[in-house]
Amino acid sequence: MICGRRARPRPEQSGGVLKKLGLSEDEDLQLMLQGSLLLKVTPRQAKERRYRLQEDGVTVVSERRFGRMASKHSFSVAHIVSVHRGHHSEGLRRYGCAIPEWNCFTIAFEGGRRNLDLGARDEDVALRWRSWIHGMLQRADKDKDNRMCFQEVQIMLRMANIHMDNAYAHQLFKECDHSGDGRLEDRELEDFCRRLLRRPELEELFGHYSGEDCVLSAEELRDFLQDQGEEGTLHQACAIICAHELNEKARQQGLMTLDGFTMYLLSAAGDILNQEHTQVHQDMSQPLCHYFISSSHNTYLTRNQIGGTSSTEAYARALMMGCRCVELDCWEGPDGEPIVCHGHMFTSKILFRDVIEAIRDYAFKRSPYPVILSLENHCGVQQQATMARHMKAILGDMLLTQPLEGQDPSVLPSPEQLKGKVLVKGKKLPELQSETCSVTSILDEEEEEETEEEDRLQAKDGSHVAPELSAMVVYCQATPFPGLAQALQQPRPYEMSSFSERKARKLIKEAGPTFVRYTSRQLSRVYPLGLKMTSSNYNPQEMWNAGCQLVALNFQTPGYEMDLNTGRFLGNGGCGYVLKPQFLLNPHSGSPHPLVLRIRVITAQQLPKLNREKLSSIVDPFVRVEIYGVTADCSKQQTAYRSNNGFNPRWEETLTFQLRVPELALVRFVVEDHDSTSCNDFVGQFTLPLGSMREGYRHIHLLSKDGASLAPATLFVHVTCKRP
């Protein structure tokens, strides 16, 4: 049974208000407030914790105790996508078999958060938890009488993520209660919402173009569009009025009111991201080495590489995020079945065939362009042959096993030619070489730069290359890096080398232009240092600056590095392939064109609370704009902070940036909560390529640390980008 999302609730809803409304009499809600002992199922064990609803009505806290030390973790119903009954997830199927199926349920979250697998002591408790979550996903804001008292209005505000002073809200309520009966209905409620959601900055902008008659004609809207740098025709203006004007009479007369203007600026048409770039718009017929390719490191991990959980769900999540190169660390497994895990660490293990099945199911749901399987192979000949059989049987026609007919062997095929295909990256037996190759020809460069002890252990596990597996390597033959001189003298486009982040930095520093020539002709992969036990990431921008195509990151580790990766591949339809700038492909193509970027940070709207357990918690927000590009372009500037205003803070501050190589620049908007006594707290962010950013008045829809939407939280800015 799957309870899907209908209408997502918004924090926050007060427990005290629930009691005043009589909602606390609901038996399911009483159970949630009291809490239940549930088993959290993980690969290591099933841990019993108390899950309890907080007084805000939408935050659930899990509590456990270690001696005298208490530990708490929480999640918000606002981030739940669905709840599933029974042994639905991989985790429950594998590790929850001892718990009766109908006592189990899985909570699926948006963004990068892992599923939560739970088991109850009896079926009734599980049913009531599922029912309550499902009810919260569908909960309406009003009573059945369509009239709202002030307490109900408070619930509506908190669930809409609107945090405002109660005295001001109550004053506004009384001004709109024209009947004086203590309840708002119909036009009164409409008036309340209109006053509540007033945007003075939009009123000023609207008035500048509309004049004294308080409506925009099609001609006036055309002038606004032209000032925005958009297609400013009467036809386009009329189309916008028809699409966004709420007042039917105004729409029929070809006029736009302030409400329609606001709706237009809050729509995708007013987004800072160029909507044409939400579709594939680049030339996809160039060789693979001409593209940046979204790549994952240790894809199987859901946490760090010391004792983290391995899961096929991690492959599904990465592929659905647009990743086009996933990594499989393959080791000898029991019963002749190869496994995927992080070698000698304490990570859990998953079957190689299960990983291939997950890749088959998710490879082309997000993008039609080719997926590369980066095999780190530690298996013997027999299990390598098993790997080859599994890939052939499971992937079928998806698997590329022969060069494309008619393809020039001196040039890599294009993403367009390889649509719907899975490519294997691995070691390949030379045509004249026997099966007595050495172990070092099997191991990829990732092992070559680890510690001597790790090398010794890996050498013990190595064996010969199975011909069946070697035959599957067509265009991505993993080879040790021969050095720049030899690689440029004898280019072999079908060969590719991997570099640790440290080795890549060294090459960039010592032979930058030559390394760029190398990456213009051949695929290269960069990966994090193996000694990063917390699976932290490195800044991918410096690798993209040198033209490296497959800059592999730990997708399971949130942070600015993954924000940059998401931003880099946000354009071109999020397909996982982004065409490199021409100067990274041809050094004689001309120089980049410098730009001056000016961003006027105007306002923010409905920023989320950071402390949901404290109803009075309000942020002191400021905005920081960060530029990532070539070293000379990297800079950060920020606004002042605004005290106690997460609802509608206003700055009106202009930040100016000089960009020498705008084609490589990423722009990251960050909102933080100012704290004078400790580190500032992260509120939200949004990152995009400068080339995908639109000029003019734009809204920025903020994302959480793990990439989930923080709607309706937005920034409102004005952008100009001019040549100096």
Side-chain angles (χ1 to χ4, degrees):
M1 172 181 173
I2 299 177
C3 302
R5 165 184 283 179
R6 297 288 183 84
R8 186 174 76 177
R10 303 287 183 201
E12 305 286 344
Q13 181 176 354
S14 164
V17 174
L18 288 172
K19 293 179 181 177
K20 290 180 182 178
L21 294 175
L23 296 178
S24 60
E25 299 302 317
D26 180 86
E27 290 185 2
D28 288 343
L29 181 60
Q30 284 289 342
L31 175 67
M32 303 306 109
L33 292 169
Q34 179 182 351
S36 304
L37 288 175
L38 300 173
L39 289 170
K40 179 182 177 181
V41 179
T42 68
R44 292 186 176 276
Q45 59 182 321
K47 308 170 186 176
E48 190 168 62
R49 297 180 179 179
R50 178 172 294 278
Y51 286 81
R52 181 170 55 84
L53 176 67
Q54 296 291 284
E55 288 189 354
D56 64 12
V58 290
T59 301
V60 176
V61 171
S62 67
E63 302 170 320
R64 57 178 177 175
R65 291 190 174 274
F66 299 97
R68 297 182 180 180
M69 298 293 292
S71 175
K72 286 188 177 183
H73 299 273
S74 67
F75 64 85
S76 171
V77 181
H79 297 148
I80 294 177
V81 174
S82 56
V83 57
H84 306 263
R85 179 189 183 192
H87 293 157
H88 173 84
S89 70
E90 176 196 3
L92 283 173
R93 286 195 300 270
R94 295 181 63 185
Y95 308 111
C97 298
I99 308 172
E101 182 172 6
W102 304 131
N103 292 17
C104 296
F105 58 100
T106 297
I107 299 174
F109 299 93
E110 64 180 12
R113 182 163 184 164
R114 299 189 304 275
N115 291 348
L116 180 60
D117 294 325
L118 297 171
R121 292 183 173 181
D122 59 71
E123 185 177 346
D124 180 63
V125 171
L127 174 62
R128 291 169 71 176
W129 270 91
R130 292 198 316 272
S131 298
W132 175 75
I133 293 173
H134 183 44
M136 285 297 292
L137 293 175
Q138 295 179 306
R139 189 178 301 279
D141 294 325
K142 298 189 293 181
D143 285 345
K144 295 179 181 179
D145 61 2
N146 291 320
R147 303 170 68 213
M148 301 183 74
C149 66
F150 180 62
Q151 288 81 8
E152 290 173 302
V153 167
Q154 286 180 303
I155 289 179
M156 178 189 73
L157 295 179
R158 288 179 178 125
M159 293 188 74
N161 213 18
I162 298 175
H163 319 300
M164 60 187 305
D165 180 77
N166 279 338
Y168 174 72
H170 193 256
Q171 177 186 346
L172 190 61
F173 180 91
K174 289 193 296 183
E175 291 175 0
C176 297
D177 182 17
H178 306 300
S179 62
D181 64 354
R183 290 178 176 270
L184 301 183
E185 56 181 324
D186 299 332
R187 291 185 179 276
E188 294 174 334
L189 186 60
E190 183 179 339
D191 185 29
F192 177 86
C193 292
R194 179 173 286 110
R195 294 195 192 189
L196 176 72
L197 298 177
R198 273 195 65 212
R199 296 277 302 275
E201 75 279 20
L202 295 188
E203 292 177 11
E204 294 164 14
L205 180 61
F206 182 80
H208 176 76
Y209 287 91
S210 67
E212 297 180 356
D213 55 1
C214 298
V215 291
L216 281 177
S217 65
E219 290 79 7
E220 290 167 333
L221 181 57
R222 177 197 60 195
D223 294 342
F224 171 76
L225 294 174
Q226 290 176 345
D227 290 346
Q228 291 274 88
E230 297 183 36
E231 180 185 356
T233 65
L234 275 178
H235 176 76
Q236 178 69 6
C238 291
I240 290 173
I241 292 172
C242 289
H244 299 284
E245 178 52 52
L246 303 175
N247 185 294
E248 184 177 353
K249 185 175 181 181
R251 188 169 61 249
Q252 290 175 349
Q253 296 178 4
L255 300 173
M256 176 170 269
T257 65
L258 175 60
D259 287 343
F261 186 66
T262 301
M263 293 299 293
Y264 165 66
L265 287 177
L266 283 169
S267 72
D271 197 283
I272 195 167
L273 175 65
N274 187 335
Q275 295 303 292
E276 292 180 1
H277 292 192
T278 61
Q279 305 295 323
V280 174
H281 64 94
Q282 295 181 340
D283 178 8
M284 302 302 288
S285 63
Q286 298 190 31
L288 283 178
C289 56
H290 286 197
Y291 299 84
F292 296 127
I293 304 172
S294 181
S295 304
S296 166
H297 176 253
N298 288 352
T299 313
Y300 46 88
L301 290 180
T302 59
R303 290 190 292 119
N304 63 61
Q305 64 188 39
I306 295 297
T309 303
S310 302
S311 172
T312 59
E313 292 178 3
Y315 285 90
R317 184 177 296 115
L319 291 166
M320 291 302 290
M321 291 172 68
C323 180
R324 296 290 86 189
C325 178
V326 295
E327 184 179 34
L328 293 80
D329 287 2
C330 307
W331 295 80
E332 292 269 326
D335 304 320
E337 286 293 338
I339 57 174
V340 173
C341 65
H342 198 269
H344 303 285
M345 300 300 181
F346 298 106
T347 60
S348 59
K349 303 169 178 60
I350 48 180
L351 290 174
F352 176 84
R353 67 164 180 260
D354 289 345
V355 172
I356 299 302
E357 287 178 352
I359 291 170
R360 174 199 62 196
D361 294 342
Y362 289 92
F364 304 110
K365 284 191 174 184
R366 180 69 178 84
S367 168
Y369 294 105
V371 170
I372 300 171
L373 307 187
S374 181
L375 302 184
E376 187 177 316
N377 185 6
H378 303 265
C379 295
V381 170
Q382 290 185 347
Q383 292 206 11
Q384 287 181 47
T386 301
M387 290 165 56
R389 286 196 300 272
H390 284 326
M391 286 192 286
K392 189 171 183 179
I394 295 169
L395 296 175
D397 292 339
M398 289 183 184
L399 186 65
L400 185 77
T401 57
Q402 297 290 336
L404 298 181
E405 186 176 352
Q407 175 66 29
D408 183 349
S410 65
V411 179
L412 282 169
S414 69
E416 187 67 31
Q417 290 175 288
L418 295 169
K419 261 186 176 180
K421 291 297 182 182
V422 175
L423 282 63
V424 175
K425 169 190 169 287
K427 290 293 179 179
K428 188 174 180 67
L429 284 169
E431 292 181 5
L432 301 179
Q433 182 175 330
S434 67
E435 294 185 17
T436 60
C437 65
S438 67
V439 59
T440 54
S441 69
I442 298 174
L443 300 181
D444 207 342
E445 286 74 21
E446 289 199 29
E447 293 77 47
E448 295 176 8
E449 295 202 9
E450 305 298 340
T451 65
E452 292 182 3
E453 176 65 13
E454 287 176 330
D455 285 339
R456 184 179 65 81
L457 292 172
Q458 289 164 355
K460 286 184 178 181
D461 291 335
S463 186
H464 308 302
V465 177
E468 299 93 332
L469 189 58
S470 173
M472 292 183 171
V473 178
V474 181
Y475 292 119
C476 298
Q477 180 179 341
T479 60
F481 182 56
L484 287 173
Q486 182 177 338
L488 291 173
Q489 287 175 1
Q490 299 176 331
R492 295 183 176 91
Y494 48 87
E495 293 183 353
M496 61 180 294
S497 299
S498 293
F499 308 89
S500 72
E501 57 176 289
R502 181 165 53 201
K503 185 173 182 180
R505 285 195 193 99
K506 188 173 186 291
L507 282 167
I508 293 169
K509 182 179 179 180
E510 296 178 356
T514 308
F515 190 50
V516 170
R517 285 178 56 203
Y518 168 78
T519 59
S520 71
R521 304 179 184 186
Q522 296 191 214
L523 289 171
S524 61
R525 179 175 179 268
V526 182
Y527 58 89
L529 285 172
L531 299 179
K532 290 187 172 183
M533 299 307 173
T534 58
S535 292
S536 60
N537 282 312
Y538 56 94
N539 183 347
Q541 183 66 46
E542 55 187 327
M543 311 306 172
W544 292 323
N545 291 344
C548 297
Q549 296 88 352
L550 298 110
V551 181
L553 297 180
N554 293 295
F555 272 46
Q556 77 276 17
T557 306
Y560 87 92
E561 302 94 343
M562 271 305 299
D563 294 341
L564 297 183
N565 193 78
T566 301
R568 173 63 65 200
F569 295 100
L570 188 64
N572 207 27
C575 74
Y577 285 82
V578 171
L579 192 61
K580 294 196 286 187
Q582 190 61 32
F583 58 80
L584 288 179
L585 304 176
N586 180 1
H588 305 294
S589 62
S591 302
H593 303 290
L595 291 174
V596 177
L597 172 66
R598 289 187 176 89
I599 299 174
R600 177 157 62 99
V601 181
I602 304 173
T603 58
Q605 295 75 42
Q606 301 179 48
L607 300 175
K609 287 184 179 181
L610 299 181
N611 185 353
R612 293 195 173 110
E613 296 185 15
K614 185 178 180 182
L615 295 178
S616 61
S617 172
I618 301 176
V619 298
D620 301 329
F622 67 90
V623 178
R624 183 172 63 251
V625 178
E626 303 172 350
I627 304 296
Y628 293 86
V630 298
T631 304
D633 288 349
C634 293
S635 61
K636 301 178 183 180
Q637 297 183 41
Q638 67 186 49
T639 68
Y641 70 90
R642 294 291 177 258
S643 298
N644 295 326
N645 189 351
F647 178 56
N648 58 356
R650 187 164 185 170
W651 292 278
E652 293 288 358
E653 296 186 36
T654 299
L655 311 177
T656 303
F657 303 90
Q658 307 286 335
L659 303 179
R660 295 165 181 79
V661 189
E663 293 87 346
L664 283 169
L666 291 170
V667 185
R668 184 171 183 251
F669 296 87
V670 186
V671 181
E672 290 188 354
D673 181 17
H674 173 76
D675 194 320
S676 58
T677 60
S678 62
C679 295
N680 300 322
D681 292 319
F682 175 88
V683 176
Q685 70 84 34
F686 186 76
T687 307
L688 77 166
L690 178 68
S692 295
M693 191 165 71
R694 293 195 291 184
E695 294 186 74
Y697 290 95
R698 302 295 174 189
H699 279 98
I700 300 168
H701 298 267
L702 296 174
L703 304 176
S704 68
K705 191 170 292 185
D706 62 3
S709 170
L710 290 176
T714 56
L715 293 176
F716 186 54
V717 300
H718 183 264
V719 178
T720 59
C721 206
K722 306 293 183 185
R723 290 191 179 183

